[in-house]
Amino acid sequence: MAKRANGEGSITRRKDGTYHGRVYVTTTSGVRKRVSVYGKTRDEIREKVTELQAQEAKGVPQPDTNMKLDDYLTYWLARVVKVNRRPKTYQGYESVARVHLVPGLGRKKIRTLRAAEVRTWLAQVAAECQCCKHGLDIDRKRCCAAGECCRSLLSRRMVQSIHAVLRNALQNAVREELITRNVAQLVQVPTPTYDTGKGLSLRQARLLLKEAEKDRLHALYVLALVMGMRRGELLGLGWESIDLDRGSLIVERALQRVNGALTLVRPKTRSSVRTVPLPPVVVKALEQHRERQAQERAAAGDTWTETGLVFTSRVGTALEPDNLRRSWYPLRKRLGVELRFHDLRHSCVTLLLDLGVPPHVVQQIAGHSGIEVTMKVYAHASLDEMRKGLDKLGDRLS
């Protein structure tokens, strides 16, 4: 029998009937090392050995770490996410890792984690009642604690977020050559369904602006509806970013609550930083708002805190984002609509598209990351527009 060449690998049968394969590879630290693989059949081991040899031939180093996922997530969050991403992003990633990933997959080694394990676990997470899992009704002794499961499941959006955090973490491990492939990329999760049918018609939008004239935040509603600005962008807007003489506005920061403190951060995406022209209706509303704020400053006297923000409390401090509902809820009630504040942004995009404004221009106004966001998530045809189109086709055919 001919002697095996160096690096060719070997396969032997163990006493328990399983098989053991060994092959020399180069590790991520540059050391040549003999690694072992195990399986139930000789063919299974031969396939694993062949794969290792193929990667070795391509110059792909093998990870030489047995790091578990919970340890790696701790490292990734602290050294990568916290340093390079926005505070709110870090806060969301850390929460997903702590609540879901670490308890579910934390003891798995990142080097041997398989796509099937991720797929099975995600399916279990999606089907698990959160009330039962976290004992939310134990103290009240009702619902799941009383044996009547309420089937309080995670939303599709939340399951997608869990999958996304795991995928991003493992992709960083690939870049650092700790693993050779990202198994989370091999797993598909149901995409969330976005409710894009909500929004104000042109008539409702006019009524909203008229109803909001008596509100001290009237200019905020004008900006939200006419410019399509996000809530955080509106509350983080400073007077230095507005040029009323030239009629322009720069969106360059947003107000968010991060770790218990109101913080000014960069907007959501790179394309969210934008300069937009101001139509006369917006300029007029801002001029009136500036006069109102000057009166409030004078009335507050020494209790006024100068922040330079456009929209503040009556003593000049930043507005709590969640407290905006104190103004919005009564306004929408008078209007007779059940909309989120964010739907004003949605309405702006839809109305612009209905008026025939090119989608790429609407994308720039709204600061979307891509035109597909403008078209897929927000830009839906209203019933009126569909009716017009179908009537035109019906007229031609008849």
mmCIF file of all heavy atoms in Angstrom, residues 73 76-77 81-82 85-102 157-158 160-166 168 256-259:
data_model
loop_
_atom_site.group_PDB
_atom_site.id
_atom_site.type_symbol
_atom_site.label_atom_id
_atom_site.label_comp_id
_atom_site.label_asym_id
_atom_site.label_seq_id
_atom_site.Cartn_x
_atom_site.Cartn_y
_atom_site.Cartn_z
ATOM 1 N N LEU A 73 -20.492 37.158 21.309
ATOM 2 C CA LEU A 73 -21.425 38.282 21.276
ATOM 3 C C LEU A 73 -20.986 39.388 22.226
ATOM 4 O O LEU A 73 -21.096 40.583 21.911
ATOM 5 C CB LEU A 73 -22.833 37.818 21.633
ATOM 6 C CG LEU A 73 -23.555 36.984 20.571
ATOM 7 C CD1 LEU A 73 -24.866 36.431 21.127
ATOM 8 C CD2 LEU A 73 -23.825 37.803 19.314
ATOM 9 N N TRP A 76 -18.119 41.094 20.448
ATOM 10 C CA TRP A 76 -18.586 41.823 19.251
ATOM 11 C C TRP A 76 -19.336 43.093 19.624
ATOM 12 O O TRP A 76 -19.120 44.155 19.023
ATOM 13 C CB TRP A 76 -19.469 40.885 18.431
ATOM 14 C CG TRP A 76 -20.134 41.507 17.252
ATOM 15 C CD1 TRP A 76 -19.542 41.974 16.117
ATOM 16 C CD2 TRP A 76 -21.548 41.712 17.080
ATOM 17 N NE1 TRP A 76 -20.493 42.458 15.237
ATOM 18 C CE2 TRP A 76 -21.722 42.307 15.810
ATOM 19 C CE3 TRP A 76 -22.666 41.445 17.867
ATOM 20 C CZ2 TRP A 76 -22.991 42.655 15.317
ATOM 21 C CZ3 TRP A 76 -23.918 41.784 17.384
ATOM 22 C CH2 TRP A 76 -24.075 42.379 16.120
ATOM 23 N N LEU A 77 -20.207 43.014 20.612
ATOM 24 C CA LEU A 77 -20.973 44.184 21.030
ATOM 25 C C LEU A 77 -20.072 45.279 21.581
ATOM 26 O O LEU A 77 -20.253 46.460 21.276
ATOM 27 C CB LEU A 77 -22.013 43.783 22.083
ATOM 28 C CG LEU A 77 -23.218 42.977 21.576
ATOM 29 C CD1 LEU A 77 -23.999 42.394 22.748
ATOM 30 C CD2 LEU A 77 -24.128 43.854 20.722
ATOM 31 N N VAL A 81 -19.666 46.804 17.676
ATOM 32 C CA VAL A 81 -20.925 47.547 17.563
ATOM 33 C C VAL A 81 -20.869 48.859 18.344
ATOM 34 O O VAL A 81 -21.221 49.922 17.814
ATOM 35 C CB VAL A 81 -22.109 46.693 18.058
ATOM 36 C CG1 VAL A 81 -23.410 47.483 17.941
ATOM 37 C CG2 VAL A 81 -22.204 45.407 17.249
ATOM 38 N N LYS A 82 -20.440 48.809 19.582
ATOM 39 C CA LYS A 82 -20.430 50.018 20.419
ATOM 40 C C LYS A 82 -19.506 51.088 19.860
ATOM 41 O O LYS A 82 -19.756 52.285 20.016
ATOM 42 C CB LYS A 82 -20.013 49.651 21.845
ATOM 43 C CG LYS A 82 -20.360 50.718 22.870
ATOM 44 C CD LYS A 82 -20.178 50.187 24.285
ATOM 45 C CE LYS A 82 -20.732 51.194 25.308
ATOM 46 N NZ LYS A 82 -20.643 50.659 26.681
ATOM 47 N N ARG A 85 -21.210 51.807 15.676
ATOM 48 C CA ARG A 85 -22.610 52.046 15.365
ATOM 49 C C ARG A 85 -23.207 53.085 16.299
ATOM 50 O O ARG A 85 -22.635 53.434 17.329
ATOM 51 C CB ARG A 85 -23.415 50.732 15.459
ATOM 52 C CG ARG A 85 -22.873 49.614 14.587
ATOM 53 C CD ARG A 85 -22.928 49.949 13.096
ATOM 54 N NE ARG A 85 -24.277 50.029 12.618
ATOM 55 C CZ ARG A 85 -24.967 48.983 12.162
ATOM 56 N NH1 ARG A 85 -24.416 47.778 12.136
ATOM 57 N NH2 ARG A 85 -26.213 49.136 11.716
ATOM 58 N N ARG A 86 -24.405 53.566 15.961
ATOM 59 C CA ARG A 86 -25.075 54.571 16.771
ATOM 60 C C ARG A 86 -25.485 53.980 18.126
ATOM 61 O O ARG A 86 -25.730 52.765 18.231
ATOM 62 C CB ARG A 86 -26.313 55.093 16.047
ATOM 63 C CG ARG A 86 -26.006 55.763 14.722
ATOM 64 C CD ARG A 86 -27.184 56.571 14.213
ATOM 65 N NE ARG A 86 -28.450 55.878 14.322
ATOM 66 C CZ ARG A 86 -29.631 56.478 14.256
ATOM 67 N NH1 ARG A 86 -29.698 57.768 14.092
ATOM 68 N NH2 ARG A 86 -30.751 55.784 14.345
ATOM 69 N N PRO A 87 -25.559 54.821 19.174
ATOM 70 C CA PRO A 87 -25.916 54.302 20.508
ATOM 71 C C PRO A 87 -27.235 53.546 20.518
ATOM 72 O O PRO A 87 -27.362 52.528 21.191
ATOM 73 C CB PRO A 87 -25.996 55.579 21.351
ATOM 74 C CG PRO A 87 -25.092 56.550 20.673
ATOM 75 C CD PRO A 87 -25.210 56.250 19.205
ATOM 76 N N LYS A 88 -28.228 54.038 19.767
ATOM 77 C CA LYS A 88 -29.528 53.372 19.749
ATOM 78 C C LYS A 88 -29.419 51.998 19.086
ATOM 79 O O LYS A 88 -30.082 51.041 19.504
ATOM 80 C CB LYS A 88 -30.533 54.230 18.983
ATOM 81 C CG LYS A 88 -31.989 53.842 19.212
ATOM 82 C CD LYS A 88 -32.457 54.266 20.585
ATOM 83 C CE LYS A 88 -33.952 54.063 20.761
ATOM 84 N NZ LYS A 88 -34.403 54.462 22.112
ATOM 85 N N THR A 89 -28.562 51.889 18.075
ATOM 86 C CA THR A 89 -28.341 50.600 17.414
ATOM 87 C C THR A 89 -27.697 49.617 18.384
ATOM 88 O O THR A 89 -28.111 48.461 18.490
ATOM 89 C CB THR A 89 -27.449 50.772 16.177
ATOM 90 O OG1 THR A 89 -28.068 51.690 15.273
ATOM 91 C CG2 THR A 89 -27.229 49.452 15.472
ATOM 92 N N TYR A 90 -26.668 50.090 19.103
ATOM 93 C CA TYR A 90 -26.015 49.231 20.094
ATOM 94 C C TYR A 90 -27.011 48.768 21.145
ATOM 95 O O TYR A 90 -27.042 47.593 21.534
ATOM 96 C CB TYR A 90 -24.864 49.977 20.775
ATOM 97 C CG TYR A 90 -24.346 49.262 22.003
ATOM 98 C CD1 TYR A 90 -23.492 48.163 21.882
ATOM 99 C CD2 TYR A 90 -24.743 49.648 23.287
ATOM 100 C CE1 TYR A 90 -23.040 47.481 23.008
ATOM 101 C CE2 TYR A 90 -24.302 48.977 24.406
ATOM 102 C CZ TYR A 90 -23.453 47.894 24.268
ATOM 103 O OH TYR A 90 -23.011 47.217 25.373
ATOM 104 N N GLN A 91 -27.849 49.688 21.607
ATOM 105 C CA GLN A 91 -28.840 49.356 22.634
ATOM 106 C C GLN A 91 -29.791 48.272 22.146
ATOM 107 O O GLN A 91 -30.125 47.340 22.885
ATOM 108 C CB GLN A 91 -29.620 50.626 23.000
ATOM 109 C CG GLN A 91 -30.562 50.467 24.174
ATOM 110 C CD GLN A 91 -31.194 51.791 24.576
ATOM 111 O OE1 GLN A 91 -30.532 52.812 24.699
ATOM 112 N NE2 GLN A 91 -32.500 51.794 24.758
ATOM 113 N N GLY A 92 -30.235 48.372 20.885
ATOM 114 C CA GLY A 92 -31.128 47.363 20.327
ATOM 115 C C GLY A 92 -30.448 46.018 20.146
ATOM 116 O O GLY A 92 -31.027 44.968 20.474
ATOM 117 N N TYR A 93 -29.207 46.020 19.631
ATOM 118 C CA TYR A 93 -28.458 44.778 19.436
ATOM 119 C C TYR A 93 -28.199 44.091 20.780
ATOM 120 O O TYR A 93 -28.334 42.870 20.908
ATOM 121 C CB TYR A 93 -27.127 45.063 18.747
ATOM 122 C CG TYR A 93 -27.209 45.260 17.251
ATOM 123 C CD1 TYR A 93 -28.424 45.527 16.624
ATOM 124 C CD2 TYR A 93 -26.073 45.193 16.462
ATOM 125 C CE1 TYR A 93 -28.496 45.715 15.262
ATOM 126 C CE2 TYR A 93 -26.142 45.369 15.085
ATOM 127 C CZ TYR A 93 -27.356 45.633 14.490
ATOM 128 O OH TYR A 93 -27.421 45.811 13.138
ATOM 129 N N GLU A 94 -27.799 44.893 21.784
ATOM 130 C CA GLU A 94 -27.489 44.321 23.087
ATOM 131 C C GLU A 94 -28.716 43.673 23.701
ATOM 132 O O GLU A 94 -28.641 42.591 24.306
ATOM 133 C CB GLU A 94 -26.945 45.429 24.001
ATOM 134 C CG GLU A 94 -26.391 44.927 25.331
ATOM 135 C CD GLU A 94 -27.476 44.689 26.388
ATOM 136 O OE1 GLU A 94 -28.536 45.350 26.314
ATOM 137 O OE2 GLU A 94 -27.267 43.832 27.268
ATOM 138 N N SER A 95 -29.882 44.310 23.528
ATOM 139 C CA SER A 95 -31.119 43.764 24.074
ATOM 140 C C SER A 95 -31.485 42.436 23.413
ATOM 141 O O SER A 95 -31.849 41.465 24.087
ATOM 142 C CB SER A 95 -32.253 44.777 23.895
ATOM 143 O OG SER A 95 -33.480 44.246 24.330
ATOM 144 N N VAL A 96 -31.371 42.376 22.087
ATOM 145 C CA VAL A 96 -31.679 41.146 21.357
ATOM 146 C C VAL A 96 -30.731 40.027 21.778
ATOM 147 O O VAL A 96 -31.150 38.878 22.002
ATOM 148 C CB VAL A 96 -31.580 41.385 19.836
ATOM 149 C CG1 VAL A 96 -31.589 40.051 19.080
ATOM 150 C CG2 VAL A 96 -32.745 42.247 19.356
ATOM 151 N N ALA A 97 -29.447 40.347 21.909
ATOM 152 C CA ALA A 97 -28.465 39.333 22.302
ATOM 153 C C ALA A 97 -28.748 38.813 23.703
ATOM 154 O O ALA A 97 -28.724 37.595 23.952
ATOM 155 C CB ALA A 97 -27.055 39.912 22.225
ATOM 156 N N ARG A 98 -29.032 39.727 24.635
ATOM 157 C CA ARG A 98 -29.237 39.347 26.042
ATOM 158 C C ARG A 98 -30.528 38.561 26.242
ATOM 159 O O ARG A 98 -30.553 37.559 26.977
ATOM 160 C CB ARG A 98 -29.225 40.603 26.912
ATOM 161 C CG ARG A 98 -29.615 40.391 28.359
ATOM 162 C CD ARG A 98 -29.352 41.646 29.197
ATOM 163 N NE ARG A 98 -29.710 42.853 28.481
ATOM 164 C CZ ARG A 98 -30.945 43.355 28.404
ATOM 165 N NH1 ARG A 98 -31.943 42.712 29.007
ATOM 166 N NH2 ARG A 98 -31.177 44.482 27.762
ATOM 167 N N VAL A 99 -31.602 39.009 25.608
ATOM 168 C CA VAL A 99 -32.920 38.405 25.848
ATOM 169 C C VAL A 99 -33.135 37.126 25.040
ATOM 170 O O VAL A 99 -33.754 36.176 25.515
ATOM 171 C CB VAL A 99 -34.039 39.423 25.522
ATOM 172 C CG1 VAL A 99 -35.418 38.787 25.658
ATOM 173 C CG2 VAL A 99 -33.926 40.642 26.434
ATOM 174 N N HIS A 100 -32.581 37.072 23.818
ATOM 175 C CA HIS A 100 -32.907 35.952 22.930
ATOM 176 C C HIS A 100 -31.703 35.073 22.565
ATOM 177 O O HIS A 100 -31.746 33.864 22.763
ATOM 178 C CB HIS A 100 -33.556 36.499 21.655
ATOM 179 C CG HIS A 100 -34.825 37.251 21.891
ATOM 180 N ND1 HIS A 100 -36.009 36.627 22.233
ATOM 181 C CD2 HIS A 100 -35.087 38.588 21.850
ATOM 182 C CE1 HIS A 100 -36.947 37.544 22.391
ATOM 183 N NE2 HIS A 100 -36.427 38.732 22.170
ATOM 184 N N LEU A 101 -30.654 35.676 22.030
ATOM 185 C CA LEU A 101 -29.561 34.869 21.468
ATOM 186 C C LEU A 101 -28.771 34.124 22.529
ATOM 187 O O LEU A 101 -28.491 32.922 22.377
ATOM 188 C CB LEU A 101 -28.626 35.764 20.655
ATOM 189 C CG LEU A 101 -29.217 36.351 19.370
ATOM 190 C CD1 LEU A 101 -28.242 37.326 18.723
ATOM 191 C CD2 LEU A 101 -29.576 35.236 18.390
ATOM 192 N N VAL A 102 -28.387 34.806 23.596
ATOM 193 C CA VAL A 102 -27.573 34.146 24.623
ATOM 194 C C VAL A 102 -28.329 33.006 25.309
ATOM 195 O O VAL A 102 -27.802 31.889 25.428
ATOM 196 C CB VAL A 102 -27.060 35.179 25.652
ATOM 197 C CG1 VAL A 102 -26.419 34.470 26.847
ATOM 198 C CG2 VAL A 102 -26.041 36.113 24.997
ATOM 199 N N ARG A 157 -41.504 41.055 12.642
ATOM 200 C CA ARG A 157 -40.442 42.053 12.642
ATOM 201 C C ARG A 157 -39.399 41.744 13.709
ATOM 202 O O ARG A 157 -38.195 41.880 13.477
ATOM 203 C CB ARG A 157 -41.051 43.443 12.875
ATOM 204 C CG ARG A 157 -40.032 44.563 12.979
ATOM 205 C CD ARG A 157 -39.230 44.708 11.706
ATOM 206 N NE ARG A 157 -38.286 45.805 11.798
ATOM 207 C CZ ARG A 157 -37.234 45.936 11.010
ATOM 208 N NH1 ARG A 157 -36.974 45.031 10.077
ATOM 209 N NH2 ARG A 157 -36.431 46.955 11.144
ATOM 210 N N MET A 158 -39.846 41.303 14.889
ATOM 211 C CA MET A 158 -38.928 40.989 15.975
ATOM 212 C C MET A 158 -38.103 39.745 15.641
ATOM 213 O O MET A 158 -36.898 39.703 15.892
ATOM 214 C CB MET A 158 -39.712 40.763 17.267
ATOM 215 C CG MET A 158 -38.835 40.656 18.507
ATOM 216 S SD MET A 158 -37.971 42.198 18.863
ATOM 217 C CE MET A 158 -36.290 41.613 18.992
ATOM 218 N N GLN A 160 -37.347 38.720 12.686
ATOM 219 C CA GLN A 160 -36.397 39.156 11.665
ATOM 220 C C GLN A 160 -35.222 39.905 12.297
ATOM 221 O O GLN A 160 -34.071 39.746 11.880
ATOM 222 C CB GLN A 160 -37.096 40.053 10.645
ATOM 223 C CG GLN A 160 -36.208 40.436 9.464
ATOM 224 C CD GLN A 160 -36.845 41.493 8.595
ATOM 225 O OE1 GLN A 160 -37.291 42.529 9.082
ATOM 226 N NE2 GLN A 160 -36.891 41.253 7.296
ATOM 227 N N SER A 161 -35.489 40.706 13.325
ATOM 228 C CA SER A 161 -34.423 41.453 14.003
ATOM 229 C C SER A 161 -33.471 40.511 14.722
ATOM 230 O O SER A 161 -32.249 40.713 14.695
ATOM 231 C CB SER A 161 -35.038 42.442 14.999
ATOM 232 O OG SER A 161 -35.814 43.412 14.337
ATOM 233 N N ILE A 162 -34.013 39.476 15.370
ATOM 234 C CA ILE A 162 -33.164 38.490 16.048
ATOM 235 C C ILE A 162 -32.241 37.812 15.042
ATOM 236 O O ILE A 162 -31.037 37.653 15.276
ATOM 237 C CB ILE A 162 -34.042 37.449 16.777
ATOM 238 C CG1 ILE A 162 -34.847 38.114 17.897
ATOM 239 C CG2 ILE A 162 -33.187 36.309 17.324
ATOM 240 C CD1 ILE A 162 -35.905 37.215 18.508
ATOM 241 N N HIS A 163 -32.821 37.409 13.925
ATOM 242 C CA HIS A 163 -32.029 36.774 12.863
ATOM 243 C C HIS A 163 -30.972 37.734 12.331
ATOM 244 O O HIS A 163 -29.818 37.341 12.082
ATOM 245 C CB HIS A 163 -32.960 36.323 11.741
ATOM 246 C CG HIS A 163 -32.248 35.747 10.563
ATOM 247 N ND1 HIS A 163 -32.197 36.375 9.338
ATOM 248 C CD2 HIS A 163 -31.533 34.592 10.415
ATOM 249 C CE1 HIS A 163 -31.499 35.652 8.500
ATOM 250 N NE2 HIS A 163 -31.091 34.562 9.122
ATOM 251 N N ALA A 164 -31.325 39.008 12.168
ATOM 252 C CA ALA A 164 -30.388 39.994 11.619
ATOM 253 C C ALA A 164 -29.208 40.227 12.546
ATOM 254 O O ALA A 164 -28.056 40.351 12.090
ATOM 255 C CB ALA A 164 -31.119 41.308 11.346
ATOM 256 N N VAL A 165 -29.453 40.288 13.851
ATOM 257 C CA VAL A 165 -28.353 40.499 14.806
ATOM 258 C C VAL A 165 -27.399 39.311 14.773
ATOM 259 O O VAL A 165 -26.167 39.484 14.745
ATOM 260 C CB VAL A 165 -28.908 40.713 16.228
ATOM 261 C CG1 VAL A 165 -27.770 40.736 17.251
ATOM 262 C CG2 VAL A 165 -29.694 42.017 16.293
ATOM 263 N N LEU A 166 -27.936 38.092 14.758
ATOM 264 C CA LEU A 166 -27.090 36.901 14.680
ATOM 265 C C LEU A 166 -26.304 36.893 13.373
ATOM 266 O O LEU A 166 -25.098 36.605 13.361
ATOM 267 C CB LEU A 166 -27.953 35.648 14.786
ATOM 268 C CG LEU A 166 -27.211 34.311 14.655
ATOM 269 C CD1 LEU A 166 -26.188 34.155 15.769
ATOM 270 C CD2 LEU A 166 -28.191 33.140 14.660
ATOM 271 N N ASN A 168 -25.389 39.446 11.488
ATOM 272 C CA ASN A 168 -24.358 40.483 11.505
ATOM 273 C C ASN A 168 -23.182 40.086 12.387
ATOM 274 O O ASN A 168 -22.017 40.349 12.045
ATOM 275 C CB ASN A 168 -24.959 41.802 12.003
ATOM 276 C CG ASN A 168 -25.914 42.417 11.007
ATOM 277 O OD1 ASN A 168 -25.903 42.070 9.832
ATOM 278 N ND2 ASN A 168 -26.761 43.323 11.460
ATOM 279 N N GLN A 256 -32.893 61.220 20.390
ATOM 280 C CA GLN A 256 -33.318 59.897 20.834
ATOM 281 C C GLN A 256 -33.049 59.755 22.317
ATOM 282 O O GLN A 256 -32.175 60.431 22.873
ATOM 283 C CB GLN A 256 -32.547 58.796 20.091
ATOM 284 C CG GLN A 256 -32.863 58.663 18.619
ATOM 285 C CD GLN A 256 -32.070 57.533 17.981
ATOM 286 O OE1 GLN A 256 -31.105 57.022 18.552
ATOM 287 N NE2 GLN A 256 -32.474 57.146 16.799
ATOM 288 N N ARG A 257 -33.802 58.870 22.957
ATOM 289 C CA ARG A 257 -33.507 58.532 24.345
ATOM 290 C C ARG A 257 -32.630 57.292 24.345
ATOM 291 O O ARG A 257 -33.036 56.216 23.916
ATOM 292 C CB ARG A 257 -34.779 58.294 25.148
ATOM 293 C CG ARG A 257 -34.515 57.941 26.604
ATOM 294 C CD ARG A 257 -35.729 58.091 27.484
ATOM 295 N NE ARG A 257 -36.097 59.484 27.694
ATOM 296 C CZ ARG A 257 -35.479 60.316 28.541
ATOM 297 N NH1 ARG A 257 -34.430 59.889 29.238
ATOM 298 N NH2 ARG A 257 -35.888 61.549 28.679
ATOM 299 N N VAL A 258 -31.401 57.444 24.817
ATOM 300 C CA VAL A 258 -30.431 56.358 24.838
ATOM 301 C C VAL A 258 -29.931 56.175 26.259
ATOM 302 O O VAL A 258 -29.421 57.122 26.871
ATOM 303 C CB VAL A 258 -29.236 56.650 23.895
ATOM 304 C CG1 VAL A 258 -28.255 55.487 23.926
ATOM 305 C CG2 VAL A 258 -29.725 56.922 22.483
ATOM 306 N N ASN A 259 -30.116 54.968 26.792
ATOM 307 C CA ASN A 259 -29.693 54.657 28.159
ATOM 308 C C ASN A 259 -30.245 55.666 29.169
ATOM 309 O O ASN A 259 -29.537 56.131 30.075
ATOM 310 C CB ASN A 259 -28.163 54.599 28.240
ATOM 311 C CG ASN A 259 -27.583 53.470 27.422
ATOM 312 O OD1 ASN A 259 -28.180 52.405 27.313
ATOM 313 N ND2 ASN A 259 -26.418 53.688 26.839
#
